Structure formats: C-alpha cells, structure tokens
Amino acid sequence: MDYDVKDLKTAKDGALRIEWANQNMPVLNRIRKRFNREKPLQGVRIGACLHVTTETASLMQTLKAGGAKVSLCASNPLSTQDDVASSLVKHDMIPVFAIKGENHKTYYTHINSVLNTKPQFTMDDGADLVSTIHTERSELLPELKGGTEETTTGVIRLRSMAADGILQYPIIAVNDAQTKHYFDNRYGTGQSTIDGIIRATNRLMAGAKFVVSGYGWCGRGVAMRARGMGSNVIVTEVDPLPALEAVMDGFTVMPIRKAAKVGDFFCSLTGDIGVIRKEHFLLMKDGAIVANSGHFNVELDLKGLKSISKSKRVIRPFVEEYLLENGRRINVLGEGRLINLAAAEGHPSSVMDMSFANQALCIEFMVKNKKALSKTVYPVPEEIDKRIAREKLAAMGIIIDKLTAEQKNYLASWKMGT
Ligand code: ADE
C-alpha cells in the first residue's frame, strides 16, 4: 500500500485519540454500523482531501465499513494530526498522504497521490481535489461520478465553476446543510478558534479588544465566544445585513481601518482575500496578535506585512513576531493558516459528528442516484438533514413534541384568520 505519513511509530497514540473522538460521534457511529451490515459503498473508490484529524479518521473508517476504497490527503498543509495519519495507515490500512507542515510542493504531490487512485467520488474541504482534477488531471473525469464539499470557501469556488460551465461532475454542498453550518461553522469554529489562539499565545482575553472580520456563521461563533471570554468584541463587515445583525447582537461595528488602531487580537473569517492588509498592519498597536480562521491564508496580506518589516522571528510555537520599520511588533499566528487546526485540534467531535454524518450519507446518496445527477452543485437532500438532526437529538436523550392533527391542518390551510 502506498502512503506518506510522518512516523508510523506514533500510530498507537493516534488510535487512542481517534477512539476518544469516536465516543462523541453517535450519529456517525450509527451510520457506520449500518454501513457495515449493508455495504452501500462496496468497491466504490473515494478520494478525500480533508483536515486529517481524529474526526476525519472516524469518517474514513465509516466509509471503509461501507465497503469503499478510500484514500486521504490533507486539505491544509498545517492541519494534519500526524499520529492520526499514522494510525489510519497502520491500523485501518487506509492510504494517507499527509504530513503536518508539508510545503506547497508536497501538498500538491499528496493531492496527486490521492488522484492516482482514480477516484470515482471526491470528498473535498476547500475544493482543491476538484480544481486539480479540472485543471491538471482531466484524464480522470470520465471515471468521476460525484463529489461532496465540506466548507463555505469550497462551495463558493464550485458554484463559480458551475456558473462558468466548467464543472464536469455533480457535487453536493455538504456545508450548506443546516446540521452542518448552524453547528460546525458557528459552535465548532467559535470554540476551536478561541482554543487555537489561546494555545498559541496563552494571553488573557478578558478586557482585550478582539476584532472579528466577517460576520458569517464562523464569525458569529468566534464573536460570541470571544465575548464569553470577557473581550470587547469589534466586528468588521462589508455586507450591510450581517453588519446590522452584529450591531443588534450587541457588538461594535466599524471599518477595519479604524479597528486596526485599537485591536489587541484580530481574527479574519471572511473567505475572501486581503482582508487585513499592509495599511492596516501599519496602524496596529505594538504587540497586536493577528490570526486567520478562514479556509485559506490569503485573508492576511503577509507579503505586505513582510514588506514593511525589518525582521521576523518565531517567538514561540505558532507565533511569528514581525518587527516593523516603525518599531512596532505584530504577532502572526500559525502562518496565517486556519488557527483552529494549526494550533489546536479543529472542531470538537460532537459537531463534526453531524458534518461527517452529512458527508457519509451524501456519498451514499450519490452512489445510489449517480445516473440522475447533472454537472452542478446540489444542496444536501432535506431528508438527510432532518434525519441527522433527529438522530443527534435522540443520541442526546432529548425528546421533542409532535404536531397534533389540528396543528397540521392549521398549517396546511389558509382559511383560518383572526
Ligand atoms: N474542520 C474543522 N475542524 C475539523 C475537524 N476536527 N476535523 C476535520 N475537519 C475539520
């Protein structure tokens, strides 16, 4: 079996951590048991490009239990948990190509290693597999029947491929399931981003000014949790609706140009490029801490920062201190890569349970319905979303009410007014 991981000797540690995550993934575990019995993915080749974490390992084991032939590479050079990658190779016989800290070239070599397995389905987090297939490996297209996409950034890329008429096989936007983004993007990113910033810096958040750029689901989660830690949260936005929502949620809203002068912590979560730029770094206070928790590291203009810096040093793991020509120091966390996975362990398993239940059920859906699907981006079928919510509640021991016959009639009828 072909693979490329850091050190197989760490596989035992990885296995224990995977087991720990699994204990908090009841919905995925139920799917795995059914997959084991029914083998709905028998012989199906799946290429996955995801953050290689304990939760991803549980998903890979689930797909394999369903009979799939899976291979896995990282969806970010800094997000791999090396012991987990080793455990998947050693204990599950799953080909993994991922090493934490891999450079750009190795990152793409690993993507190509997964593509060399000639996948029939892709599972992406950021659309790097799909885009590599369409730009460099188009010989694989005839075999490809479908794919799934985990994150907002990837869905945006794929929708733009579909709009340009370039997308050559159907994709389900897992990110857009309510049981995904309401929980993973908000509570997962909220907690794991704060976790990453604290692990990297060990700085006190209480009383600090914490600037959140972007008030989408991820930004909302981080703003909410930063407030919970006692920070004064400032939100920057470009869209009037979420900006208004941030105001009414009780946050201070201002442009980044103003926020740059007062912030102690900065975190971008917009999915866009050049959110915090050279002109903003120049305004920041000495010692400002700058992180990104959006999918790609383009949100921070690190080239611009370098161009105004005299020197740079790693002052502690995951903290690069830039000494500016104006004498101030700016601390960039995790090379501007998503800080929740670079310096912490990503979202907790309880939310990934729902995200990855969506992944497993959407792949099963695509395998069953491949002939009926066109070359476009599909939403997650509503019955999958509802089923996951129901099963999650059941696993938590929470019972909810049912509509009475009278209520059903009332909702279905227009006749009754005041
Ligand atoms: N994205 C964010 N957190 C994650 C995790 N724990 N596993 C996989 N992908 C993630």
Side-chain angles (χ1 to χ4, degrees):
M1 187 180 86
D2 199 12
Y3 64 86
D4 191 17
V5 298
K6 188 164 180 205
D7 180 5
L8 281 186
K9 286 203 283 296
T10 62
K12 220 170 123 202
D13 299 336
L16 287 174
R17 296 202 315 109
I18 295 167
E19 187 186 327
W20 175 253
N22 238 317
Q23 289 177 14
N24 232 350
M25 303 183 83
V27 182
L28 192 65
N29 278 323
R30 270 193 73 170
I31 295 170
R32 184 188 320 196
K33 279 194 193 124
R34 179 173 64 78
F35 274 16
N36 231 328
R37 282 194 314 273
E38 297 176 5
K39 302 285 177 209
L41 311 178
Q42 192 60 50
V44 173
R45 292 189 303 280
I46 301 174
C49 177
L50 300 168
H51 302 297
V52 181
T53 65
T54 51
E55 293 77 19
T56 298
S58 295
L59 173 62
M60 294 301 108
Q61 292 169 343
T62 303
L63 300 175
K64 192 166 176 191
K69 293 186 178 138
V70 218
S71 58
L72 172 67
C73 62
S75 58
N76 187 292
L78 262 192
S79 62
T80 298
Q81 298 172 5
D82 289 316
D83 56 346
V84 169
S86 302
S87 178
L88 282 172
V89 169
K90 188 159 178 188
H91 303 124
D92 300 288
M93 304 300 288
I94 291 176
V96 181
F97 306 88
I99 297 174
K100 183 163 180 136
E102 62 197 14
N103 62 23
H104 187 261
K105 187 165 165 250
T106 309
Y107 178 76
Y108 278 98
T109 303
H110 285 161
I111 285 192
N112 278 296
S113 299
V114 163
L115 295 180
N116 290 343
T117 65
K118 300 194 170 63
Q120 296 159 302
F121 291 85
T122 54
M123 192 175 269
D124 253 318
D125 186 333
D128 280 345
L129 278 184
V130 175
S131 69
T132 307
I133 288 166
H134 283 72
T135 53
E136 291 161 33
R137 301 290 305 266
S138 55
E139 83 278 6
L140 298 172
L141 283 169
E143 286 281 315
L144 279 153
K145 307 284 180 261
T148 57
E149 172 52 53
E150 170 76 7
T151 199
T152 319
T153 300
V155 171
I156 292 170
R157 286 177 93 185
L158 292 160
R159 289 229 164 88
S160 112
M161 286 173 81
D164 288 351
I166 287 168
L167 188 65
Q168 291 301 313
Y169 63 94
I171 303 282
I172 295 186
V174 164
N175 178 71
D176 295 357
Q178 294 181 3
T179 46
K180 201 276 182 183
H181 68 272
Y182 282 7
F183 303 94
D184 167 317
N185 300 29
R186 180 168 38 174
Y187 303 111
T189 309
Q191 177 166 323
S192 61
T193 299
I194 302 296
D195 184 14
I197 291 173
I198 292 176
R199 286 199 209 189
T201 64
N202 194 28
R203 285 280 165 85
L204 185 71
M205 288 179 59
K209 290 205 165 52
F210 193 110
V211 180
V212 176
S213 289
Y215 203 65
W217 289 101
C218 296
R220 285 174 201 153
V222 172
M224 174 171 67
R225 293 300 178 240
R227 173 154 67 189
M229 294 298 288
S231 290
N232 296 302
V233 178
I234 296 168
V235 170
T236 76
E237 244 306 335
V238 291
D239 186 332
L241 268 173
L244 194 56
E245 194 180 350
V247 172
M248 300 228 178
D249 284 344
F251 298 113
T252 306
V253 176
M254 60 176 76
I256 183 67
R257 177 174 37 81
K258 268 184 96 179
K261 292 184 197 157
V262 294
D264 300 298
F265 293 90
F266 294 82
C267 186
S268 58
L269 308 97
T270 68
D272 209 342
I273 194 166
V275 177
I276 303 183
R277 302 183 292 275
K278 183 160 88 175
E279 63 265 34
H280 307 129
F281 290 121
L282 279 169
L283 298 170
M284 285 181 188
K285 295 194 286 194
D286 183 33
I289 289 167
V290 185
N292 166 52
S293 211
H295 186 78
F296 287 120
N297 59 343
V298 296
E299 305 213 9
L300 310 178
D301 173 20
L302 294 182
K303 257 198 197 136
L305 176 59
K306 206 166 162 211
S307 74
I308 51 168
S309 300
K310 284 196 279 203
S311 60
K312 179 176 96 166
R313 62 175 175 158
V314 175
I315 188 160
R316 50 186 270 140
F318 303 109
V319 185
E320 279 179 318
E321 179 199 75
Y322 287 74
L323 177 61
L324 270 52
E325 279 150 5
N326 66 15
R328 295 187 202 141
R329 291 161 296 185
I330 305 288
N331 297 298
V332 175
L333 306 189
E335 300 166 24
R337 301 200 185 274
L338 6 82
I339 193 60
N340 61 337
L341 282 141
E345 294 170 68
H347 304 348
S349 42
S350 177
V351 284
M352 294 314 295
D353 186 27
M354 289 188 280
S355 310
F356 285 168
N358 273 292
Q359 287 284 8
L361 296 181
C362 285
I363 283 286
E364 182 187 29
F365 175 87
M366 290 197 118
V367 169
K368 278 193 187 137
N369 296 283
K370 55 182 183 277
K371 293 212 175 89
L373 298 169
S374 328
K375 301 170 180 175
T376 190
V377 180
Y378 286 93
V380 170
E382 200 186 331
E383 60 277 13
I384 290 184
D385 218 354
K386 283 258 155 55
R387 180 165 148 197
I388 291 171
R390 255 197 311 273
E391 289 195 8
K392 189 70 175 174
L393 280 173
M396 294 164 107
I398 293 168
I399 299 167
I400 59 170
D401 291 320
K402 284 198 172 75
L403 289 175
T404 62
E406 183 194 25
Q407 287 172 328
K408 274 191 200 161
N409 277 341
Y410 179 79
L411 292 175
S413 150
W414 53 268
K415 288 187 181 139
M416 206 187 297
T418 40

